[in-house]
Amino acid sequence: MATAQSDCCEWSKYIPWVSTALLGVYVIYQFVKKDKCCDWVNKDVQKDQPKVATSVDIEDLGEKTSFCRCWRTKKWPYCDGSHKGHNKCTGDNVGPLVIKKETK
């Protein structure tokens, strides 16, 4: 009959191997995983087009207009604040391009 001491020593010899294997799996996972918010810059805007180039008439602008620079807005080309989530997810610091009419 085996003692508790021998049972403990029997499985403990596998601890270094199991630890190394788990560390290896974790490193491989970190290397190959796709980050949900860091792969493509433009995820949704005019994906059917070969190039996104937007034109806005200056007469259509209000007193202050904010344009998206993070490519996450649902109101392209205008900013809807989606950069806040993008920045939190990626650690980025992007914000909108704000155009204001000069007041005289």
Side-chain angles (χ1 to χ4, degrees), residues 11-29:
W11 64 265
S12 66
K13 66 182 177 183
Y14 297 108
I15 291 176
W17 294 102
V18 171
S19 299
T20 303
L22 290 174
L23 178 62
V25 167
Y26 176 76
V27 168
I28 290 170
Y29 171 76

Side-chain angles (χ1 to χ4, degrees), residues 1-13:
M1 181 170 160
T3 65
Q5 175 92 16
S6 65
D7 287 343
C8 173
C9 295
E10 195 62 34
W11 64 265
S12 66
K13 66 182 177 183

